[in-house]
Amino acid sequence: MEDFNAGIGAAEMLGRANYVALVGGGRNPKFPTNKVIIWDDAKQLAVVTLEFQSQVLRALLSRSQILVAVLNSISLYAFSSPPKKISSYETADNPLGLCCLGAKIVAFPGRTPGQVQIVEIGTGNVSIIPAHGSPLRAMCLSPNGEILATASETGTLVRIFSTSNCARISELRRGVDPAHIFSLAIAPSSTLLA
């Protein structure tokens, strides 16, 4: 990887491929904070640039899609040159850039704090999960896309949902005192949560 000698606010690698989604950040950003740069590390150059009206908080990559989070919306693009916008969705304030990109679905905060929207990429069908009573703090999708785990700003509960029917599978209590949950992860087997 090249030494940019400047700030990077967000980076997301495409599996083991040479593509990395980069967003500038820090005091001396390498790239504008409102742009996503898809960097090809093998060629040592930017191959795709997406520009937005506001600061990009997160960008995720799959072999066929690019998912970008800004404060109040999520945008889904076909990973092509040039990228083709597939759809855009409004969200509640999402300062952490929460979003998940699976092979068949995307998940992100809904328009109401505490809700999760799940969108089937192929059909555009939208499902809403009333996950928590307060804004979301963390969320993750299982590798097979069948399970979604969420935590709210309160940090006392982690809830697990089936993405096929939006049913709550389980609820795990972390404690009674509020806490910041910074991330969630589901094992490749979909049987363990960290």
Side-chain angles (χ1 to χ4, degrees):
M1 184 77 176
E2 179 172 314
D3 180 3
F4 290 118
N5 198 25
I8 300 293
E12 182 75 29
M13 190 170 173
L14 173 58
R16 295 183 181 186
N18 3 313
Y19 295 113
V20 182
L22 300 170
V23 179
R27 287 185 217 158
N28 180 27
K30 173 66 179 173
F31 307 110
T33 59
N34 70 325
K35 289 185 179 181
V36 175
I37 308 297
I38 308 297
W39 182 263
D40 185 333
D41 201 46
K43 295 178 182 174
Q44 292 290 297
L45 59 89
V47 292
V48 172
T49 301
L50 294 169
E51 186 170 355
F52 297 86
Q53 297 295 319
S54 59
Q55 179 182 2
V56 174
L57 300 169
R58 188 164 188 202
L60 299 177
L61 300 175
S62 73
R63 294 209 178 273
S64 54
Q65 280 97 23
I66 303 168
L67 186 64
V68 179
V70 298
L71 184 62
N72 294 105
S73 69
I74 297 287
S75 297
L76 182 65
Y77 292 84
F79 195 161
S80 57
S81 187
K84 180 183 173 209
K85 190 173 199 174
I86 297 170
S87 54
S88 187
Y89 302 91
E90 289 181 25
T91 67
D93 280 354
N94 183 13
L96 300 173
L98 298 177
C99 57
C100 302
L101 176 59
K104 297 179 182 176
I105 64 170
V106 294
F108 48 88
R111 290 184 205 156
T112 302
Q115 286 185 345
V116 176
Q117 287 186 70
I118 295 178
V119 179
E120 292 178 35
I121 295 171
T123 64
N125 290 342
V126 177
S127 299
I128 305 291
I129 297 174
H132 298 274
S134 59
L136 297 172
R137 173 75 185 187
M139 62 190 303
C140 75
L141 197 58
S142 64
N144 64 9
E146 294 176 3
I147 297 172
L148 176 75
T150 63
S152 73
E153 284 184 350
T154 309
T156 55
L157 297 173
V158 173
R159 292 188 171 136
I160 302 166
F161 300 91
S162 166
T163 58
S164 63
N165 61 10
C166 300
R168 183 169 35 186
I169 297 170
S170 185
E171 179 175 277
L172 307 169
R173 180 165 288 283
R174 188 217 43 83
V176 293
D177 295 326
H180 292 296
I181 295 177
F182 290 96
S183 66
L184 295 170
I186 298 173
S189 64
S190 298
T191 58
L192 300 171
L193 174 70

